[in-house]
């Protein structure tokens, strides 16, 4: 993923940095990325794609496979889990009557399960979308590794209008000094990526990543696949005590790094010499 310098988004990110709401602090940013893989992203894409292909195409049908069509010849009658079926027979009854190929059922259930989130991961396009979102998180939060994030932690939003309204509802009270902030934000995003052509994905954060310990958090990807770029909106609200704790930890780690890079860290010889002086 390549970070794209967009002055309008950088200005909006500045407005969203360290907003004091009284008993909490709100921080956020808007970032644009190109979805062309290169370098470490390409390596991550190959490794994740290999794992996803193994789990979601267990019969070896790679790329744009259609498990239902491929596996249908193994069944005497159409599978009850077909897209247009309205039957609700249990698996046990169906197995007793039709002797179902359980491998076909496994693939179809897996297909339907992940269609709720990103689309069927048996398709290379869905896998590419998932990996692009993971690479975006890695690029946006370089101190964290999101390569173990699960597909179900991303959700494709059914309505852009609902997402826009929700974000406006959350950010509106945070920016009372600029009541037109959200309108300016959506105008800048639309100018950069054409919102009507975007798929919107939400990230469901877990407690063990960079989004933990939040009062609330917004994490949305506006992905224009035709342009092969996306805009990532991330915003979080945390208590002042947590904010101060994070700031202290960050300052401490930066100080240690400066000491090491600046030559202040002791060498082994310095430590031996110091111990000899203490013995004397």
């Amino acid at each position: 993923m390549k970070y794209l310098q967009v002055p309008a988004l950088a200005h909006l990110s500045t407005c969203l940095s360290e907003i004091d709401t009284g008993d909490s602090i709100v921080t956020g940013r808007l970032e644009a990325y190109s979805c062309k893989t290169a370098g470490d992203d390409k390596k991550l894409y190959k490794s994740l794609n290999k794992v996803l292909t193994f789990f979601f195409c267990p019969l070896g049908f790679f790329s744009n496979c259609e498990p239902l069509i491929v596996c249908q010849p193994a069944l005497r009658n159409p599978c009850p889990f077909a897209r247009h079926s309205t039957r609700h027979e249990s698996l046990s009854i169906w197995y007793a009557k039709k002797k179902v190929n359980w491998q076909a059922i496994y693939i179809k259930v897996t297909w339907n399960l992940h269609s709720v989130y990103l689309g069927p991961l048996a398709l290379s396009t869905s896998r590419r979308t998932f990996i692009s979102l993971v690479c975006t998180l890695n690029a946006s939060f370089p101190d964290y590794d999101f390569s173990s994030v699960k597909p179900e932690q991303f959700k494709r939003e059914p309505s852009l209008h609902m997402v826009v309204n929700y974000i406006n509802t959350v950010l509106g009270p945070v920016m009372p000094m600029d009541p037109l902030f959200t309108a300016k934000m959506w105008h800048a995003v639309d100018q950069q990526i054409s919102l009507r052509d975007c798929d919107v994905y939400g990230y469901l954060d877990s407690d063990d990543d960079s989004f933990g310990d939040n009062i609330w958090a917004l994490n949305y990807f506006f992905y224009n696949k035709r342009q092969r770029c996306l805009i990532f909106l991330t915003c979080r609200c945390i208590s002042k005590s947590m904010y101060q704790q994070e700031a202290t930890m960050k300052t401490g780690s930066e100080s240690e790094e400066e000491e090491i890079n600046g030559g202040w860290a002791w060498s082994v010889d310095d430590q031996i010499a110091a111990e000899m002086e203490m013995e004397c």
Side-chain angles (χ1 to χ4, degrees):
M1 307 296 289
K2 180 181 178 181
Y3 173 74
L4 303 177
Q5 293 281 355
V6 182
L9 298 183
H11 173 71
L12 292 168
S13 296
T14 302
C15 296
L16 284 173
S17 63
E18 300 184 14
I19 302 173
D20 191 337
T21 63
D23 57 351
S24 61
I25 299 292
V26 174
T27 60
R29 60 184 186 271
L30 277 162
E31 298 174 334
Y33 290 93
S34 168
C35 295
K36 297 178 181 179
T37 56
D40 293 338
D41 288 339
K42 185 171 289 187
K43 294 179 182 178
L44 179 61
Y45 174 83
K46 290 181 178 179
S47 61
L48 286 180
N49 187 56
K50 185 176 181 180
V51 172
L52 293 171
T53 301
F54 174 79
F55 279 104
F56 299 106
C57 290
L59 289 185
F61 302 107
F62 302 102
S63 298
N64 293 320
C65 59
E66 168 57 90
L68 180 61
I69 296 175
V70 172
C71 299
Q72 264 188 339
L75 309 178
R76 296 184 180 179
N77 293 298
C79 176
F81 299 97
R83 288 187 179 89
H84 304 293
S85 175
T86 57
R87 301 169 64 186
H88 299 283
E89 297 182 35
S90 66
L91 280 177
S92 58
I93 296 175
W94 178 257
Y95 177 76
K97 289 183 178 181
K98 307 298 181 182
K99 297 182 179 179
V100 167
N101 181 334
W102 279 101
Q103 206 166 19
I105 291 295
Y106 165 78
I107 296 176
K108 186 57 186 175
V109 170
T110 302
W111 177 284
N112 283 338
L113 174 62
H114 291 279
S115 293
V116 176
Y117 303 104
L118 291 171
L121 290 175
L123 292 177
S124 61
T125 52
S126 297
R127 296 196 299 273
R128 180 176 292 276
T129 297
F130 168 66
I131 296 171
S132 294
L133 299 182
V134 172
C135 289
T136 300
L137 289 174
N138 281 337
S140 186
F141 298 93
D143 295 335
Y144 295 84
D145 182 10
F146 292 88
S147 57
S148 60
V149 167
K150 300 176 182 178
E152 53 264 32
Q153 287 182 255
F154 296 99
K155 178 187 177 184
R156 181 177 178 178
E157 300 295 338
S159 169
L160 171 64
H161 181 70
M162 291 177 61
V163 172
V164 169
N165 283 343
Y166 175 66
I167 293 175
N168 289 347
T169 301
V170 174
L171 291 185
V174 174
M175 303 291 293
M177 70 295 293
D178 187 359
L180 297 178
F181 174 80
T182 54
K184 297 175 183 176
M185 180 181 72
W186 294 123
H187 177 72
V189 171
D190 188 54
Q191 288 290 314
Q192 179 66 26
I193 206 171
S194 183
L195 280 171
R196 67 175 62 188
D197 297 326
C198 291
D199 292 328
V200 185
Y201 299 91
Y203 175 65
L204 309 175
D205 58 284
S206 60
D207 294 334
D208 55 353
D209 59 26
S210 62
F211 302 106
D213 300 321
N214 298 321
I215 298 174
W216 56 259
L218 299 173
N219 301 294
Y220 287 101
F221 304 83
F222 301 88
Y223 190 1
N224 190 319
K225 296 180 180 178
R226 186 164 54 185
Q227 295 182 12
R228 295 190 66 183
C229 63
L230 61 80
I231 288 180
F232 177 44
L233 166 63
T234 177
C235 194
R236 60 193 294 241
C237 178
I238 58 176
S239 64
K240 283 190 173 180
S241 59
M242 180 59 64
Y243 177 78
Q244 293 170 355
Q245 181 179 345
E246 290 182 359
T248 301
M249 293 175 61
K250 183 177 180 180
T251 303
S253 61
E254 289 178 351
S255 299
E256 290 178 3
E257 185 176 352
E258 289 177 359
E259 289 180 1
I260 294 174
N261 294 336
W264 292 97
W266 278 17
S267 65
V268 175
D269 293 337
D270 293 334
Q271 185 174 356
I272 294 174
E275 290 178 354
M276 292 178 63
E277 290 180 0
M278 292 178 64
E279 291 177 356
C280 293

